[in-house]
């Protein structure tokens, strides 16, 4: 009996030792940077959906007051240095007629937001208001034109309205509405999800339409259009193939969408009440982005070997069931440590593909899907995902430093597995190197070693985002349940960094 017990203990010991003996080993090649991580990877998405625009970024209107931009929300967004905001959709974009949203507010017509809850949209927030938000944030605007139910003329007129510097019918209309100087909008989407809500088109048909629309966006003054085509859904490689083949020479970006689900589209699962299986599926969904980006990029390489056309992940993030009690068409969901780790792993993937991925927009900015900020009346809270975006500001426009993996630990569940650790690194304009890392394993700490080659490193400091449980989140009663803290789990010795990553955690490290 005793012998059997000893044998069992020996086995267990061996298993633990094996776990401990194979840490994730990474090599950071500090002298092999080539590509810049575009800050536009950290873009936001603001659709006329639920409580994002109205009662989110802008105050709820009452009978005496018009919509007003919320200063608390704007100040918080400034801290994450939002580089661009994609607007007005989403599916809404292909139902939107921009002329409804200009001029005196009381004269603007109302429409029905058919995609999102069938609510009445009174067009109180339109082109000028949105561009005022972009200006307040120091963000570049990214307009998505209506290709699904609009016309070439209508899109061309919008382009002329925001960009023509001299006298023209649309520039004069803009002046009449109070804006003399052109807004100088560069990023221009031509439709949204034209394979789905934007018109259910075949890629061949869309590519032909795209060429018509793209032909009527002339350069005005200092502005040249950065023309963004509708890209693939997830792993639809045929869409990328056809659009690049037929219209690649007429575009500057192609907009792929990929959402991370813990269940099915019919049953996505709760944002806060989930088990490890659902956590795991979220991690797998996030990590699947790597293969998709790699394969879409490989297709693009065949038509565009110089990588002129950017792959833009124009919608990404977690999509859970709406919060109980909220309007099902408003896509209001809570945000836990799971969302934070999905965000970190996804952003690491975009960073590592900086040669081709030069833009991305998380869905969405406030009160919708994987939001940075949730509001309730005059209250506001920052989500765990917000804190990840704040950590990752260190990578904006920094030089990507390649990380090679020499050995990897896996986070396994049943017969399935994903890498336990995600990481990316960069050097900023001041020469400072940063590494972001996350632990995808919800229950076990993991040790990571990082050999820094090509630079001397003698110290490290950092911050961590974690919480006692994998489904911890911030509420209006406890808005700081999940918040950043100083991180002391990283040490440097002989140019080697050793990082003790707690379970379900994200860290940002500064190397000295
Ligand atoms: O982000 C919500 C919706 O998801 C967008 O409107 C649409 O483009 C996508 O299907």
């Amino acid at each position: 009996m005793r012998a059997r017990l000893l044998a069992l203990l020996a086995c267990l010991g061996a298993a633990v030792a094996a776990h401990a003996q194979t840490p994730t080993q990474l090599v950071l090649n500090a002298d092999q940077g080539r590509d810049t991580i575009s800050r536009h990877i950290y873009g936001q998405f603001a659709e006329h959906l639920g409580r994002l625009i109205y009662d989110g970024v802008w105050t709820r209107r009452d009978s005496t007051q018009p919509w007003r931009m919320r200063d608390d929300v704007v100040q918080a967004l400034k801290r994450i240095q939002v580089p661009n905001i994609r607007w007005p959709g989403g599916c809404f974009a292909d139902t939107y007629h921009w002329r409804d949203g200009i001029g005196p507010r009381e004269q603007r017509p109302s429409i029905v937001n058919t995609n999102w809850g069938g609510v009445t949209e009174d067009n109180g927030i339109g082109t000028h208001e949105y561009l005022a938000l972009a200006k307040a944030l120091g963000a570049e605007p990214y307009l998505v034109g209506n290709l699904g139910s609009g016309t070439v003329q209508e899109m061309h007129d919008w382009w002329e309205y925001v960009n023509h510097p001299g006298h023209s019918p649309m520039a004069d209309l803009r002046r009449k509405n109070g804006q003399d100087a052109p807004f100088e909008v560069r990023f221009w989407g031509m439709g949204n999800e034209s394979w789905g809500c934007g018109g259910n088109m075949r890629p061949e048909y869309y590519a032909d339409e795209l060429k018509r629309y793209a032909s009527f966006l002339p350069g005005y003054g200092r502005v040249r259009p950065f023309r963004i085509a509708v890209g693939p859904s997830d792993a639809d490689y045929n869409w990328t193939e056809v659009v690049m083949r037929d219209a690649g020479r007429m575009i500057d970006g192609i907009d792929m969408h990929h959402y991370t689900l813990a269940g099915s589209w019919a049953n996505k699962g709760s944002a806060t009440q989930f088990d490890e299986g659902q956590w795991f599926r979220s991690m797998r969904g996030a990590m699947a982005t790597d293969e998709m980006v790699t394969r879409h990029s490989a297709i693009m390489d065949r038509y565009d070997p110089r990588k002129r056309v950017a792959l833009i992940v124009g919608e990404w993030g977690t999509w859970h069931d709406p919060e109980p009690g909220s309007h099902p068409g408003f896509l209001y969901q809570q945000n836990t440590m799971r969302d934070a780790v999905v965000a970190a792993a996804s952003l690491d993937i975009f960073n590592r593909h900086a040669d081709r991925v030069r833009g991305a927009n998380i869905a969405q900015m406030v009160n919708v899907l994987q939001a940075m900020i949730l509001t309730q009346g005059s209250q506001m809270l920052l989500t765990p995902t917000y804190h990840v975006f704040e950590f990752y500001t260190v990578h904006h426009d920094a030089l990507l430093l390649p990380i090679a993996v020499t050995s990897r630990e896996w986070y396994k569940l049943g017969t399935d597995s994903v890498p336990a650790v995600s990481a990316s690194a960069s050097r900023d304009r001041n020469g400072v190197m940063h590494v972001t890392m996350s632990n995808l394993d919800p229950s076990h700490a993991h040790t990571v070693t990082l050999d820094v080659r090509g630079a001397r490193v003698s110290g490290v400091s950092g911050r961590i985002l974690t919480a006692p449980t994998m489904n911890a989140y911030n509420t209006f009663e406890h808005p700081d349940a999940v918040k950043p803290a100083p991180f002391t789990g990283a040490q440097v010795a002989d140019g080697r960094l050793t990082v003790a990553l707690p379970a379900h955690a994200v860290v940002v490290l500064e190397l000295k």
Side-chain angles (χ1 to χ4, degrees):
M1 178 68 189
R2 188 163 179 272
R4 271 170 55 195
L5 190 63
L6 283 175
L8 182 66
L9 284 175
C11 275
L12 280 175
V16 170
H19 189 77
Q21 273 167 20
T22 54
T24 295
Q25 293 178 333
L26 308 174
V27 176
L28 173 64
N29 292 297
D31 54 354
Q32 288 180 18
R34 188 194 60 185
D35 302 308
T36 297
I37 299 173
S38 172
R39 68 184 184 287
H40 290 295
I41 284 175
Y42 296 87
Q44 296 287 331
F45 175 28
E47 180 164 12
H48 284 240
L49 195 179
R51 295 192 305 110
L52 196 159
I53 299 289
Y54 307 107
D55 202 24
V57 178
W58 281 269
T59 54
R60 183 190 280 276
R61 182 164 63 173
D62 63 31
S63 51
T64 55
Q65 298 236 322
W67 308 110
R68 187 170 40 77
M69 212 186 287
R70 282 182 67 139
D71 191 50
D72 53 349
V73 171
V74 167
Q75 293 311 324
L77 290 172
K78 274 186 173 175
R79 292 197 290 277
I80 56 170
Q81 301 169 29
V82 176
N84 72 75
I85 316 167
R86 183 172 181 261
W87 177 86
C91 295
F92 181 78
D94 280 305
T95 64
Y96 185 63
H97 299 284
W98 67 273
R99 279 191 178 82
D100 294 346
I102 57 169
R105 287 189 189 181
E106 57 289 356
Q107 290 170 21
R108 298 183 189 177
S110 291
I111 58 165
V112 177
N113 191 335
T114 46
N115 283 292
W116 306 118
V119 295
T120 301
E121 159 68 61
D122 77 354
N123 285 301
I125 302 302
T127 301
H128 289 254
E129 291 78 15
Y130 157 73
L131 289 166
L133 169 69
K135 189 174 177 194
L137 294 179
E140 272 203 64
Y142 169 0
L143 292 184
V144 180
N146 180 346
L147 183 143
S149 69
T151 63
V152 173
Q153 182 71 50
E154 183 184 7
M155 195 188 291
H156 163 267
D157 285 352
W158 200 13
W159 172 258
E160 182 181 308
Y161 184 87
V162 293
N163 283 330
H164 197 284
H167 283 288
S168 80
M170 291 303 113
D172 292 345
L173 181 60
R174 183 187 71 229
R175 287 195 187 90
K176 194 172 148 218
N177 289 327
Q179 176 71 24
D180 184 15
F183 288 109
E184 301 195 328
V185 178
R186 191 166 65 103
F187 295 133
W188 201 268
M190 288 168 288
N192 170 75
E193 297 194 351
S194 303
W195 35 262
C197 64
N200 288 297
M201 302 174 199
R202 291 175 303 113
E204 292 80 2
Y205 182 84
Y206 172 73
D208 283 347
E209 285 292 289
L210 169 66
K211 284 187 279 187
R212 287 177 66 221
Y213 280 78
S215 300
F216 298 96
L217 299 175
Y220 284 139
R222 292 184 303 190
V223 183
R224 296 289 167 276
F226 189 96
R227 296 157 300 184
I228 302 171
V230 168
S233 167
D234 307 283
D236 182 355
Y237 301 113
N238 183 52
W239 184 278
T240 303
E241 179 83 40
V242 174
V243 172
M244 286 302 294
R245 183 194 67 204
D246 292 358
R249 69 191 164 79
M250 292 188 71
I251 59 174
D252 304 288
I254 184 165
D255 170 13
M256 161 187 160
H257 292 182
H258 170 56
Y259 284 99
T260 295
L261 272 69
S264 63
W265 281 104
N267 184 10
K268 302 176 196 76
S270 161
T272 54
Q273 307 303 309
F274 53 85
D275 59 21
E276 189 175 352
Q278 289 163 306
W279 165 285
F280 181 86
R281 283 194 287 280
S282 296
M283 298 304 131
R284 197 176 52 193
M287 296 309 261
T289 313
D290 201 6
E291 181 181 343
M292 287 175 208
V293 166
T294 303
R295 293 185 59 182
H296 287 296
S297 300
I299 294 166
M300 294 174 76
D301 284 349
R302 280 196 277 111
Y303 297 99
D304 174 34
R306 296 184 171 201
K307 301 188 191 288
R308 185 187 63 77
V309 180
L311 181 60
I312 291 174
V313 189
E315 288 184 30
W316 68 275
T318 54
W319 194 323
H320 309 302
D321 285 342
E323 278 302 288
S326 67
H327 189 308
F330 284 9
L331 311 187
Y332 175 78
Q333 66 188 40
Q334 254 294 357
N335 195 297
T336 67
M337 271 312 299
R338 174 176 60 165
D339 300 272
V341 176
V342 166
S346 304
L347 291 168
D348 285 334
I349 291 167
F350 302 154
N351 287 348
R352 295 196 303 262
H353 287 275
D355 60 335
R356 185 64 89 173
V357 178
R358 298 197 291 271
N361 302 80
I362 189 167
Q364 299 195 12
M365 193 161 72
V366 179
N367 287 337
V368 172
L369 298 178
Q370 193 175 352
M372 310 297 109
I373 292 174
L374 303 178
T375 67
Q376 178 178 276
S378 60
Q379 287 178 285
M380 176 195 93
L381 66 78
L382 308 176
T383 64
T385 299
Y386 173 96
H387 295 303
V388 171
F389 269 70
E390 192 268 312
F391 279 10
Y392 279 64
T393 55
V394 297
H395 292 311
H396 291 204
D397 288 336
L399 184 71
L400 175 71
L401 301 178
I403 291 180
V405 181
T406 49
S407 89
R408 186 179 300 290
E409 251 185 315
W410 296 88
Y411 161 42
K412 295 186 184 139
L413 195 69
T415 53
D416 220 340
S417 58
V418 291
V421 172
S422 163
S424 66
S426 68
R427 181 189 289 116
D428 70 16
R429 285 189 186 132
N430 300 320
V432 181
M433 291 189 284
H434 294 99
V435 182
T436 45
M437 256 183 214
S438 48
N439 184 353
L440 279 62
D441 187 331
S443 331
H444 298 101
H446 286 274
T447 301
V448 182
T449 64
L450 184 80
D451 277 315
V452 182
R453 304 211 180 131
R456 280 180 55 82
V457 174
S458 53
V460 59
S461 63
R463 286 185 298 151
I464 184 165
L465 187 73
T466 191
T469 58
M470 67 178 175
N471 62 346
Y473 58 99
N474 292 332
T475 64
F476 294 99
E477 293 72 38
H478 302 287
D480 286 331
V482 184
K483 65 171 185 191
F487 180 56
T488 52
Q491 259 83 49
V492 180
D494 301 328
R496 170 179 279 202
L497 199 66
T498 304
V499 185
L501 271 182
H504 57 263
V506 181
V507 301
V508 55
L509 304 172
E510 180 176 319
L511 309 187
K512 297 168 199 294

